[in-house]
Amino acid sequence: MDNINFLPIFNSILYSLLGIAILLVCYLIIEKLTPERTWHEISKNQNVALAIIFGAFIIGISIIISAAIHG
């Protein structure tokens, strides 16, 4: 029991946090590039089309980040 290796657990947590940070940075870049405030448009004006586009964006960027981290 004293030979427990916590390195894989630490690596999983580290890469998860790194992936979330990269996804957040990508979202902020897209937010700056679009003409209107997307979160306000989705939440306040109930713009379903924009919500679908941003959902697809988040899934796509997440797949890219996952593939890059996994190797």
Side-chain angles (χ1 to χ4, degrees), residues 15-71:
Y15 287 135
S16 296
L17 293 175
L18 180 65
I20 291 170
I22 292 171
L23 182 64
L24 182 63
V25 168
C26 290
Y27 172 75
L28 293 174
I29 289 171
I30 294 297
E31 183 73 28
K32 293 294 182 188
L33 293 176
T34 55
E36 71 267 341
R37 292 182 16 223
T38 54
W39 185 251
H40 179 270
E41 186 69 26
I42 291 171
S43 62
K44 301 293 184 204
N45 297 339
Q46 304 292 316
N47 191 337
V48 176
L50 187 61
I52 291 171
I53 294 295
F54 261 72
F57 160 76
I58 289 173
I59 290 171
I61 295 296
S62 297
I63 290 171
I64 293 170
I65 292 169
S66 172
I69 289 175
H70 190 278

